[in-house]
Structure formats: structure tokens, C-alpha cells
Amino acid sequence: MKKTKVKTTPVVEKKETVCSCGDSCSCGEHCSCGCEKKKTLLKCGTMLVSAAIIAASIVMTSPDCPFAKRGSRNDRRPMAGAQMNEAGFREFIMNNPKVLIDSVDAYYKQQQVKQKPAQPAPADLVEKIVNDKTNYSLGNPNGKFVIIEFFDYNCGYCKRTNTALSEVVKSKEGANIRWIPIDTPIFGESSEIIARYVLAAGKQGKYAEMHDAVSEAKGRVDEAALIEMGKKLKLDTKKLTADAKGKEINDKLVANREFIERLKINGVPMLIVDGKINPGALFGEKLDEVVKASQKKK
């Protein structure tokens, strides 16, 4: 199968060029009709590891995949008549985004057991993130033990990490922890919309509450669900929507992209725990060890 190379894209206000081929245009990276319309697998808010490549082996065995042969599990040849091309694979992923998210989750689950010892993060970058007043701090704002988390709300392991950290920083045991979440939407437009609304809630003093609401939500979280969450938090939903789509939050996501590029992050969740890079999720026994370490930090 031809590998699909996913390009990273900055957070910008989306300006679509109309393609004369219509919505079904499959000209590829540059449209042959002359409109030069860019075609990407996913519209990412910050960056995207070559998730399609990671997903490919799992997608190809999915019963929903139009390219997977029905037969031996080990036989991954295409079905008769199916064209295994980039456009077809892109169309399948766009119509079945959950397959991509689930496959990347599975990939990172495998990586959990392969993690190398934690390496120090660039001290100047950590200092910049800690001192950046546009970043939100959860837990103790003066905590000596700092956890910086890069995450996507559509990432299962990120949600588990968020839920676990939220409980810890509210507990007596985690009283010395300062948790700085850095919104890193990598799973396309849906992730970016969620990040925008959570950051917008912060402008009304409800970042932590909206962050928890999204992290604990079951099923798909779309714009309507986010507005409903805002209502339950007694937010001005008109202002919420305007702020979510405004320049200030757009600029914030662009700034977050600079952080992840500097750190060369190629997947989420990724955390910097007390100055050391911790690839992968943080909950369970691993988090228990971190909490114990935080209690010794002065």
C-alpha cells in the first residue's frame, strides 16, 4: 500500500478555494484543474504525527475498510476491483475518523511498554511555558512540582490522563502540583473546535470546569454539545462562540504549535514532569509515583 504522508499545518483562519472539479475532486495534493486547492487528510490545529501510516495496518483489517479482503486475517491484499490509492484511503479515513483515532490510541498503548528513561526538557522552554500568562494552571498555581501536558481532547489516553490529573490536583496528596495543560489539537477540525471552546470558556473564568466537562464527556463532542456545556456552566454562550472563533484564541493555538515544534513532539499525550519529558499517558501506578515525588519537592 502506498503510504500517505500527512503534512503538518498551522492554525490559521480557514480560507477554502473552490475547486472546479467539485467536492469529489481527487486530484491530490495540487488540483490539476488549476485551482491549486490543497487536499489534506486531516485539518490539524497544530501538528500531526504520520497517523495515517500508523493507522494503516489496523485500518486494513477493519471490517469497515473497503480495501480489506474478507478472508484470512493475515491476507491483507485488496479486494478485487478496489483501488488501493491515496485518494481512496483518504476518503475512507475522512468518512471514518474514529478508526484513525482508535488505531493511534492502540499504537500509543504499545509504545507505553517501550518507553525510554525520561530525558530532561530544555530548561529555557520549560521556563517560558511556566511563565506564559496565557497558559492556564490547574491545581496549586504556586506548586513547586510542575506538570506540563500536551494533549488532544479526542485522544482516549489524553482523556484518561486529564481525568486522573484533575482528581489528583484537587486532593491533599497533590497539593504541591501545578498542572499546565497545553491544548494540542492533532485529530483534525473536531479537536480544534473543542480546544477553541475550552479556551474561550477560560475567558469567562471557567477553563477548569469546561476542561473537566469535555474530558468526562461520553461520545462525540461537537459544537452544539460544547454550547450546551457552556449553558450548564452559566456562561454567556454568544460570547463563548465569538471568543472561540476569534483571533486571540487562534493566536494562542499558533503559540502552542511553536512549543510542540521546539520539543519535536510526535504524538499525544506528552508530558513534562518536573522538568523531564514523559512520553505517553500518566495515570494509575505511574501517576501514584509522580504524586509521591511531588510531596518531596520543596
Side-chain angles (χ1 to χ4, degrees):
M1 174 179 176
K2 181 180 178 181
K3 294 184 177 180
T4 302
K5 184 177 180 181
V6 181
K7 295 190 175 182
T8 60
T9 56
V11 179
V12 295
E13 294 299 326
K14 297 179 178 61
K15 296 181 179 179
E16 296 289 348
T17 302
V18 177
C19 176
S20 61
C21 298
D23 294 336
S24 61
C25 170
S26 59
C27 298
E29 196 60 25
H30 290 283
C31 187
S32 61
C33 73
C35 72
E36 293 297 302
K37 180 179 180 181
K38 288 285 186 177
K39 307 282 277 184
T40 55
L41 179 62
L42 291 175
K43 292 180 180 177
C44 300
T46 49
M47 61 86 197
L48 184 62
V49 64
S50 293
I53 298 174
I54 295 171
S57 61
I58 298 175
V59 171
M60 289 306 298
T61 59
S62 167
D64 298 323
C65 180
F67 302 130
K69 182 178 179 180
R70 310 306 186 259
S72 170
R73 182 177 180 180
N74 295 321
D75 188 350
R76 300 183 183 178
R77 290 175 296 172
M79 293 175 61
Q83 293 184 351
M84 185 93 61
N85 57 25
E86 180 178 334
F89 182 67
R90 180 188 292 112
E91 181 180 0
F92 172 72
I93 290 298
M94 290 299 291
N95 292 331
N96 300 273
K98 192 174 184 299
V99 174
L100 178 59
I101 294 171
D102 289 347
S103 64
V104 174
D105 268 355
Y107 170 77
Y108 286 115
K109 182 176 182 180
Q110 295 171 4
Q111 297 307 301
Q112 289 288 99
V113 298
K114 302 178 182 179
Q115 289 180 12
K116 299 177 181 179
Q119 300 295 316
D124 63 322
L125 184 59
V126 172
E127 183 179 4
K128 183 176 181 179
I129 293 173
V130 169
N131 293 330
D132 187 340
K133 297 187 183 301
T134 66
N135 291 328
Y136 290 95
S137 287
L138 305 181
N140 182 354
N142 298 312
K144 302 298 182 183
F145 194 93
V146 178
I147 296 177
I148 300 168
E149 180 198 12
F150 297 86
F151 69 99
D152 183 307
Y153 287 107
N154 277 325
C155 160
Y157 277 87
C158 297
K159 294 183 75 169
R160 291 183 67 181
T161 296
N162 285 342
T163 299
L165 281 173
S166 183
E167 293 175 357
V168 161
V169 298
K170 295 172 185 174
S171 70
K172 180 179 178 181
E173 292 75 16
N176 194 33
I177 296 177
R178 178 182 176 186
W179 171 27
I180 304 176
I182 305 293
D183 298 86
T184 312
I186 68 171
F187 288 121
E189 189 172 13
S190 169
S191 295
E192 184 177 321
I193 289 172
I194 296 172
R196 285 177 177 274
Y197 270 84
V198 176
L199 289 169
K203 291 179 68 62
Q204 296 186 49
K206 293 291 181 72
Y207 176 85
E209 292 84 350
M210 194 70 159
H211 178 86
D212 284 349
V214 172
S215 295
E216 294 167 5
K218 304 298 182 183
R220 178 178 173 80
V221 177
D222 56 16
E223 191 168 17
L226 291 163
I227 292 173
E228 187 61 32
M229 289 178 189
K231 288 180 181 178
K232 291 180 179 179
L233 294 174
K234 301 187 184 307
L235 298 176
D236 179 338
T237 54
K238 288 186 178 180
K239 175 176 169 54
L240 180 70
T241 299
D243 287 339
K245 299 177 181 180
K247 183 177 184 299
E248 184 176 339
I249 287 175
N250 187 80
D251 291 346
K252 176 57 184 167
L253 292 176
V254 170
N256 286 357
R257 181 174 183 267
E258 294 175 359
F259 289 144
I260 64 175
E261 286 182 345
R262 171 77 187 279
L263 286 166
K264 298 180 180 179
I265 296 173
N266 62 0
V268 290
M270 198 287 279
L271 301 95
I272 299 176
V273 178
D274 194 31
K276 294 183 178 179
I277 295 176
N278 177 88
L282 187 62
F283 50 79
E285 293 182 2
K286 196 170 182 179
L287 180 56
D288 291 340
E289 294 175 2
V290 168
V291 172
K292 290 179 182 178
S294 73
Q295 295 168 350
K296 301 175 183 178
K297 183 83 174 184
K298 295 181 180 180

